[in-house]
């Protein structure tokens, strides 16, 4: 009896995959349906890409779990590890749909990490898009973590003009935050061009 108990305890400690797979799946849904951005080594990674990676990792772990022998400990696992098959299916579908819609929404989008950085590593990251005769831009204020859940300011342009890509903007930093002003032209105006506060606090 003692030998069996030690064996099942060892199996329980060596199988954290259900918890990790569940966490990855839940995070995949959250990031796939968000407007978050992540900057890694100076490159911008949109939320749908993070979601796709997390979803893939979750599926790989789920496949690994399916190949393992189901022990008595597995049958008496806590309710959260793993989730019921129906719930896992819904979360997987939601994550896949969120990532797909994110890819479609990102077609033609440009990302810019503006320099210089501000106080305490604060960085202004811009997402610019255009469609037909209209354009738009979003400002993300990112701290040293290189992560932001949502934009802090936005503007629209005429004729699909992209002021950040063309360099018609001004970025200045003070002791605590920054100011971004986006300029247009007589033929390509920018609406609500700022100044926009860049505050990572």
């Amino acid at each position: 009896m003692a030998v069996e108990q030690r064996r099942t305890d060892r199996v329980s400690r060596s199988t954290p995959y259900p918890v990790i797979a569940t966490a990855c799946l839940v995070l995949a849904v959250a990031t796939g349906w968000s407007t978050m951005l992540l900057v890694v080594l100076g490159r911008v990674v949109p939320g749908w890409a993070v979601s796709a990676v997390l979803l893939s990792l979750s599926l790989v772990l789920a496949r690994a779990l399916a190949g393992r022998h189901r022990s008595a400990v597995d049958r008496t696992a806590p309710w959260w590890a793993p989730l019921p098959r129906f719930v896992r299916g819904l979360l997987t579908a939601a994550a896949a749909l969120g990532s797909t819609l994110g890819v479609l929404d990102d077609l033609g989008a440009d990302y810019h990490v503006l320099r210089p950085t501000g106080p305490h590593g604060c960085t202004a990251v811009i997402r610019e898009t255009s469609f037909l005769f209209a354009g738009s831009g979003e400002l993300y204020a990112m701290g040293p973590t290189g992560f932001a859940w949502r934009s802090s300011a936005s503007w629209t342009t005429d004729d699909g003009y992209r002021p950040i890509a063309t360099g018609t903007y001004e970025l200045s930093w003070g002791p605590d935050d920054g100011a971004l002003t986006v300029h247009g032209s007589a033929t390509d105006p920018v609406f609500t061009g700022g100044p926009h506060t860049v505050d990572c606090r």
Side-chain angles (χ1 to χ4, degrees):
M1 180 65 69
V3 174
E4 179 66 20
Q5 182 63 40
R6 285 196 297 271
R7 187 187 69 81
T8 55
D9 287 345
R10 185 165 56 252
V11 171
S12 178
R13 288 193 297 269
S14 64
T15 55
Y17 303 115
V19 180
I20 298 174
T22 299
C24 288
L25 188 55
V26 172
L27 287 174
V29 175
T31 55
W33 288 93
S34 72
T35 58
M36 66 154 286
L37 291 184
L38 183 68
V39 175
V40 180
L41 299 177
R43 299 184 65 86
V44 179
V45 182
W48 60 262
V50 176
S51 175
V53 171
L54 291 171
L55 178 59
S56 299
L57 180 58
S58 176
L59 293 176
V60 168
L61 291 174
R63 181 175 292 273
L65 282 169
R68 295 181 66 92
H69 176 69
R70 294 289 183 178
S71 67
V73 173
D74 293 327
R75 291 193 296 269
T76 59
W79 66 270
W80 42 264
L83 292 174
R85 181 177 299 179
F86 175 72
V87 177
R88 293 200 309 271
L90 286 179
L91 291 176
T92 300
L97 180 59
S99 295
T100 302
L101 293 177
V103 171
L104 296 176
D105 185 57
D106 234 17
L107 292 177
D110 289 328
Y111 293 93
H112 307 273
V113 180
L114 304 188
R115 300 301 184 199
T117 59
H120 311 294
C122 187
T123 304
V125 178
I126 309 299
R127 179 180 185 268
E128 286 190 309
T129 60
S130 60
F131 180 74
L132 296 178
F133 299 107
S136 64
E138 296 173 279
L139 165 66
Y140 289 78
M142 292 191 179
T145 60
F147 172 84
W149 268 111
R150 60 184 182 275
S151 62
S152 57
S154 63
W155 55 88
T156 57
T157 66
D158 196 15
D159 292 334
Y161 184 61
R162 301 192 181 198
I164 304 299
T166 54
T168 54
Y169 69 91
E170 297 175 2
L171 175 63
S172 60
W173 293 100
D176 297 318
D177 53 30
L180 174 68
T181 304
V182 183
H183 301 289
S185 66
T187 56
D188 298 307
V190 174
F191 307 101
T192 62
H196 302 291
T197 301
V198 187
D199 191 351
C200 297
R201 293 172 296 174

